[in-house]
């Protein structure tokens, strides 16, 4: 059984590129390690991770989560050294002591956040832990997250709800259980008006090369956003590709199920 | 690059914690690679009956594997060099 690798929307880092969600998590945690290193700290604290995750979903230094526009610069200033120093003990890594390496390791509280995120991802039916799952795991966290709740005036529940809604609207990347089209309020795919070639292929249930062939053959009009390399197609043009089948030719093959293979 | 087996005993661990440890292992290996230390987590086997996990890593030496595991905060019992055999290479 192979699960389709969810392809996701572009992050601020690679405009236009599509990254599997698992790689986005690695990129974000990688940035968290970088933050700890820059501080000269021995441990990656939850605050490092939170700032890195928000950075991953930000644009121009602003992370939009639900109704809140979180200014990362202001947040970063508040998160100086000493902020969120974990009181908890480290996990019992059995090692030969002698001054192992120089890279920071995850603090015990950070480890627990990863585990909480993995549990959320599983309940969500997601194939991998996503950036949003990690952000949701922060809901009741103290430290910088506590500051955030105070500063922007929301509760843990409102945070989780906002992230769920954000995921549904496809505004932030999330590891969706099935094909990666954003889900609408009814649970069905909410298809945007303008689609990339890959999204169009998914919409039609064909290979992306097939979509490119349609474009090349003149069957499907394609557009390019000013200055962008990537082709876009309009949803209505995709629907226009549909040909009505005469009744006698129609084999009842059922609607494709939403199991997501 | 040599191949190493990291043996762990993780009593009471659940699937979520294993998955979370996997994410951390992946990140820490990626992080060390960017620092110029080649280390790669290849795959892991968890034996539910004994609650032991066997993780395969590629690295130049055992110290590097140990460092990756320390950063990822995944406890282990031993790190030993291993030789791999596959049906089509014997």
């Amino acid at each position: 059984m192979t699960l389709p690798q969810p392809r996701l929307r572009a992050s601020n880092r690679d405009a236009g590129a599509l990254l599997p969600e698992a790689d986005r998590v690695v990129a974000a945690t990688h940035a968290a390690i970088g933050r700890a290193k820059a501080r000269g700290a021995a441990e990656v604290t939850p605050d490092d991770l939170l700032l890195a995750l928000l950075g991953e979903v930000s644009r121009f230094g602003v992370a939009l989560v639900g109704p809140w526009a979180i200014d990362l610069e202001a947040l970063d200033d508040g998160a100086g050294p000493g902020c969120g120093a974990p009181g908890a003990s480290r996990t019992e890594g059995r090692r030969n002591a002698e001054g192992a390496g120089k890279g920071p390791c995850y603090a015990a509280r950070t480890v627990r956040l990863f585990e909480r995120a993995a549990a959320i991802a599983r309940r969500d039916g997601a194939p991998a832990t996503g950036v949003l799952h990690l952000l949701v795991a922060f809901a009741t966290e103290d430290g910088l997250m506590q500051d955030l709740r105070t500063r922007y005036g929301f509760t843990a529940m409102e945070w989780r709800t906002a992230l769920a809604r954000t995921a549904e609207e496809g505004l932030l990347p999330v590891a969706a259980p099935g094909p990666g089209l954003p889900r609408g309020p009814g649970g069905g795919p909410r298809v945007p008006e303008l689609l990339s070639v890959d999204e169009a292929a998914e919409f039609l249930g064909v290979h992306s090369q097939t979509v490119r062939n349609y474009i090349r053959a003149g069957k499907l009009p394609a557009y390019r956003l000013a200055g962008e390399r990537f082709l876009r197609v309009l949803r209505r043009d995709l629907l226009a590709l549909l040909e009505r089948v005469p009744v006698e030719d129609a084999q009842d093959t059922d609607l494709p199920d939403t199991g997501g293979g | 690059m040599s191949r190493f087996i990291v043996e762990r005993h993780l009593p009471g661990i659940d699937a979520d914690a294993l998955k979370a440890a996997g994410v951390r292992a992946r990140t820490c290996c990626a992080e060390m690679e960017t620092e110029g230390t080649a280390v790669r987590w290849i795959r892991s086997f968890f034996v539910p009956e004994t609650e032991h996990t066997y993780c395969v890593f590629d690295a130049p030496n055992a110290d590097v594997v140990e460092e990756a595991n320390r950063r990822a905060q995944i406890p282990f019992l031993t790190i030993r060099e291993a030789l791999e055999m596959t049906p089509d290479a014997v």
Side-chain angles (χ1 to χ4, degrees), chain A residues 67-87:
Chain A
W68 311 294
I70 300 170
D71 182 355
L72 291 189
E73 211 169 311
L75 209 59
D76 221 351
D77 288 346
C83 185

Side-chain angles (χ1 to χ4, degrees), chain A residues 22-23 25-26 29-30 33 37 90-92 94-96 100-106 111 114-115 118-119 122 127, chain B residues 15-17 19-21 23-28 30-32 34-35 37 66-67 70-77:
Chain A
D23 285 347
V25 170
V26 169
T29 44
H30 202 116
I33 298 172
K37 262 196 208 163
R90 285 141 154 255
T91 44
E92 63 295 0
R94 206 176 299 180
R95 49 201 148 100
N96 306 335
K102 50 283 161 252
C105 60
Y106 291 109
V111 168
F114 275 108
E115 289 172 0
R122 175 177 47 81
Chain B
D16 297 336
K19 222 170 174 177
V23 173
R24 301 198 307 276
R26 220 184 129 200
T27 309
C28 290
E31 171 68 13
M32 287 175 71
T34 60
E35 292 167 4
T37 311
E66 185 181 329
E67 168 67 3
R70 185 192 69 82
R71 291 194 194 185
Q73 287 287 39
I74 317 173
F76 57 88
L77 299 170

Side-chain angles (χ1 to χ4, degrees), chain B residues 1-4 57-61 81-82:
Chain B
M1 289 281 258
S2 306
R3 191 144 273 201
F4 294 89
F57 282 80
D58 276 351
N61 60 61
E81 187 161 1

